[in-house]
Every structure is written in C-alpha cells, then in structure tokens.
Amino acid sequence: MQYRIQLDTKNQLFVAIDAHDQNHFGTGRTIEQAIHNLKATSKAA
C-alpha cells in the first residue's frame, strides 16, 4: 500500500492517506498509529 503522511497541527494528529484514494485515511497520535489505522480500515472495507 502506498500512502502519504500529513500532520494536523490544530488537533496534533498524524494522518495517513491512501495514495490512490484520498477519502481512505487513518489518524493517530504517532505516524505508526495512523498507518495502522489506515491499514485496519482497508481490511474492513
């Protein structure tokens, strides 16, 4: 899976966004959590 990382400075959260579908993303307090949440939602879909 390819993804990009953003930092939401207002909420202090990292956002991992699917490179092929910007509507598919995961958030977390760490980059690792954001990536984990992104991958977890792709398995549920």
Side-chain angles (χ1 to χ4, degrees):
M1 171 183 287
Q2 293 182 345
Y3 51 85
R4 60 188 172 93
I5 301 292
Q6 278 185 300
L7 174 60
D8 178 347
T9 56
K10 181 178 179 185
N11 296 313
Q12 294 297 305
L13 288 174
F14 287 98
V15 183
I17 304 164
D18 187 331
H20 302 289
D21 180 4
Q22 67 182 357
N23 295 318
H24 179 224
F25 61 91
T27 60
R29 291 200 159 268
T30 66
I31 292 173
E32 291 82 5
Q33 285 178 340
I35 294 168
H36 173 78
N37 291 336
L38 171 65
K39 290 180 179 179
T41 60
S42 69
K43 291 178 184 176

